[in-house]
Amino acid sequence: MLTRRSLLKTALASSLTPLATRSMAMGDITLTTVSDGSLVLPTGFIFDPMPKDQLPALFEKYGLDAERLTPECNLALLQDGTNTVLFDVGSGPDFMPSAGAIVDSLDAIGLTPEDITHVVFTHAHPDHIWGLLDDFDDPLFYEAEYFMGRAEWDYWWNPETVNTIGEARAAFAVGAKRRMEVIEDSVNLFDDGDEILPGVAAIASFGHTPGHMAFEVRSGSSSALVLGDAIGNHHVAFAHPEWESGSDQDAAQAVATRQQLFDRAVSEQMQIIGFHLPDGGMGRVEVDPNGGYRFVGEAS
Ligand SMILES: [Zn+2]
């Protein structure tokens, strides 16, 4: 069972390390990934519901530790000369010691929080939204306009959610609501298919959370997918997208979502940015002739 205590216990074993920043130009748009650090998770968080007899081979193939996973946290940053758009805000100081590095990482590429004109949320999990507040509980990105999918907002805003989400995730609900209250009067809510900013369209990708949103970024004839956690790792999510993952709230719906996004990324040859994908989180998808898919990092 995943609890906040078990998350913290494993997190103490790691520390902040600077991670890769990746960048690509698409017409007038530049997409960059900016690191918020990494998470430390017990492997069971993802693998508990999966076929036990097939896991050892998978762990060996991907070089995974049997006890803990340390996924990167890579925020997508879109710059088009007018707007500087950050997708999610990272963990802030209160989730895990290994995460919450976004201000340092922005600084390393010459940006400060006030340079961010728009913040777009994929979903309201701690590693994506807890970085919203500064030390005075005001919005850290104080010049930004905020955007969240309507279904995601409604789910975490509902006072019943903390009682129905289950003990392991109750702190997620409390933490999300507290941050959403700060932007309640100004947040822009959107739905599937909405073009929320020039060149940025929302894609309903429910399952990981009830209202998770991915985004298509388009400039001219090129396009990229900002996946959030809809494809949450480079190993089992690619090798066996059909396996239900313990990290997804509605695991069956998340399977269908993953399959749709993979189909699209492959058929339209789109670049992808995944929040927890390795090497800066930017790359593309290949069909694996042995079944499933492969993540090909931008650096490869
Ligand atoms: Zn995440």
Side-chain angles (χ1 to χ4, degrees):
M1 173 64 70
L2 175 73
T3 63
R4 182 162 156 76
R5 184 171 302 141
S6 68
L7 284 175
L8 287 172
K9 211 169 85 185
T10 42
L12 287 172
S14 105
S15 61
L16 281 177
T17 39
L19 293 163
T21 288
R22 303 279 175 220
S23 202
M24 66 175 156
M26 279 187 357
D28 298 333
I29 288 177
T30 302
L31 278 173
T32 303
T33 57
V34 193
S35 175
D36 191 49
S38 59
L39 301 183
V40 184
L41 302 169
T43 49
F45 180 63
I46 287 177
F47 292 100
D48 270 353
M50 297 182 175
K52 299 271 176 292
D53 56 328
Q54 296 186 54
L55 292 181
L58 187 112
F59 274 51
E60 188 176 332
K61 179 174 176 189
Y62 291 93
L64 303 178
D65 185 279
E67 298 298 320
R68 56 179 209 151
L69 301 167
T70 55
E72 296 178 18
C73 299
N74 294 302
L75 281 59
L77 179 79
L78 180 157
Q79 294 165 289
D80 64 4
T82 305
N83 297 327
T84 301
V85 183
L86 195 58
F87 293 84
D88 298 326
V89 292
S91 292
D94 297 331
F95 186 47
M96 288 188 184
S98 55
I102 187 61
V103 174
D104 288 345
S105 295
L106 287 171
D107 183 60
I109 56 170
L111 293 174
T112 65
E114 71 172 323
D115 293 324
I116 305 300
T117 59
H118 303 81
V119 166
V120 178
F121 290 106
T122 62
H123 64 300
H125 273 169
D127 50 323
H128 299 257
I129 199 174
W130 282 20
L132 180 76
L133 302 179
D134 65 15
D135 293 342
F136 302 95
D137 280 355
D138 292 321
L140 174 63
F141 302 97
Y142 55 91
E143 294 287 351
E145 241 184 277
Y146 289 84
F147 294 77
M148 189 184 289
R150 189 181 315 277
E152 187 71 359
W153 181 277
D154 288 347
Y155 176 71
W156 297 103
W157 193 256
N158 184 339
E160 279 306 304
T161 293
V162 68
N163 303 318
T164 56
I165 195 171
E167 192 188 348
R169 287 182 167 93
F172 292 9
V174 174
K177 183 89 184 290
R178 182 161 89 78
R179 284 149 183 95
M180 289 160 61
E181 282 166 356
V182 177
I183 55 170
E184 179 193 0
D185 294 333
S186 61
V187 68
N188 300 284
L189 303 181
F190 57 86
D191 298 295
D192 182 33
D194 287 355
E195 179 157 344
I196 58 171
L197 289 165
V200 181
I203 304 171
S205 40
F206 303 163
H208 180 67
T209 60
H212 186 285
M213 285 288 185
F215 301 92
E216 179 184 2
V217 176
R218 181 168 287 280
S219 179
S221 59
S222 339
S223 60
L225 283 174
V226 175
L227 295 168
D229 286 3
I231 297 174
N233 60 71
H234 67 293
H235 38 82
V236 71
F238 279 73
H240 288 285
E242 76 282 10
W243 285 1
E244 295 191 358
S245 168
S247 61
D248 295 326
Q249 209 169 315
D250 183 331
Q253 191 179 31
V255 165
T257 289
R258 260 197 302 281
Q259 200 63 61
Q260 283 165 12
L261 290 169
F262 275 130
D263 283 349
R264 185 144 179 220
V266 168
S267 66
E268 300 180 32
Q269 298 190 313
M270 298 166 92
Q271 297 278 333
I272 59 168
I273 295 178
F275 195 90
H276 296 299
L277 296 182
D279 294 329
M282 191 178 278
R284 58 195 168 78
V285 182
E286 271 184 358
V287 173
D288 187 333
N290 300 315
Y293 300 90
R294 277 196 296 246
F295 175 62
V296 183
E298 202 238 358
S300 330

